[in-house]
Amino acid sequence: MSGAGRPKGSANKNKKFLLSRLQDMYGKDFHPIMKMAENAVNLHSKANESNDTTDLRASIEAWDKIASFTEPKLKALEVSGNGEDGELVVQIQRKRYDGS
């Protein structure tokens, strides 16, 4: 059965049940994404101290996973020069990620 009846991004009953069970086990404030972020911070600290390639890779992968929950995915676009006069016009919009 598809999730056609619920809004996109809303948790289904199984996910809500699992989160509830995890909160029963680890406390009412437990949230898996926040725990992942906490562990990413620990991995980042370890990677900075050791400067080991394996530690750095683990840190990058952890932050990449967190980013998948917090930042929109970038999509590839195909562009062709089929405008008037055969020219290609490109418009660039920049977005700052520092919160300003």
Side-chain angles (χ1 to χ4, degrees), residues 8-9 15-16 28 30-33 35-37 42 45 50 57-58 61-62 75 78 84 88 91 95-97:
K8 184 177 180 180
K15 287 182 182 180
K16 287 181 181 180
K28 67 178 177 68
F30 176 83
H31 194 279
I33 297 170
K35 190 63 169 175
M36 287 170 53
N42 292 336
S45 294
S50 71
R57 184 174 292 119
E61 289 173 0
K75 296 181 181 180
E78 185 175 324
E84 294 178 31
L88 175 64
Q91 181 180 14
K95 180 178 180 183
R96 294 181 62 130
Y97 289 97

Side-chain angles (χ1 to χ4, degrees), residues 19-88:
L19 179 58
S20 176
R21 293 282 293 139
L22 289 168
Q23 289 173 335
D24 288 344
M25 293 173 68
Y26 300 110
K28 67 178 177 68
D29 293 331
F30 176 83
H31 194 279
I33 297 170
M34 297 305 292
K35 190 63 169 175
M36 287 170 53
E38 181 182 317
N39 288 329
V41 169
N42 292 336
L43 286 169
H44 182 78
S45 294
K46 180 180 178 184
N48 282 338
E49 290 172 10
S50 71
N51 207 29
D52 178 69
T53 304
T54 303
D55 293 341
L56 292 168
R57 184 174 292 119
S59 174
I60 290 167
E61 289 173 0
W63 285 119
D64 182 52
K65 187 72 170 182
I66 297 299
S68 73
F69 291 103
T70 60
E71 299 297 327
K73 296 255 186 218
L74 299 177
K75 296 181 181 180
L77 300 174
E78 185 175 324
V79 180
S80 61
N82 293 333
E84 294 178 31
D85 305 330
E87 292 183 11
L88 175 64

